[in-house]
Amino acid sequence: MTTPATGWTWRLHGPDGGVVDPADLGVEVPVEEAQADAESWLGEHWRTLLERGAASATLLRGDTVVYGPMGLAAT
């Protein structure tokens, strides 16, 4: 599935900073129509992502990095 040019989604990274395929973690990262929806999704799922091996996430709009990577571990 390709990411629509205006869709908002997350790129997941492992502890080494490398990109992690969400399928390898047993999750599907949705493509949202709004930034707030994408951020809400991460807010609801960050613990699961962290438990399954993701260490950080980068917000994308289409293929453009909006911000990140940001750590998923609570500080």
Side-chain angles (χ1 to χ4, degrees), residues 3-63:
T3 303
T6 59
W8 298 83
T9 193
W10 294 96
R11 178 182 298 148
L12 304 176
H13 308 273
D16 65 355
V19 175
V20 176
D21 185 340
D24 291 344
L25 304 178
V27 298
E28 184 175 331
V29 179
V31 177
E32 303 287 1
E33 292 185 23
Q35 180 177 355
D37 293 334
E39 291 171 333
S40 291
W41 181 88
L42 188 68
E44 294 169 11
H45 295 91
W46 69 269
R47 286 179 183 89
T48 300
L49 297 170
L50 188 60
E51 289 170 359
R52 294 186 182 188
S56 61
T58 298
L59 182 64
L60 304 172
R61 184 170 190 195
D63 292 330

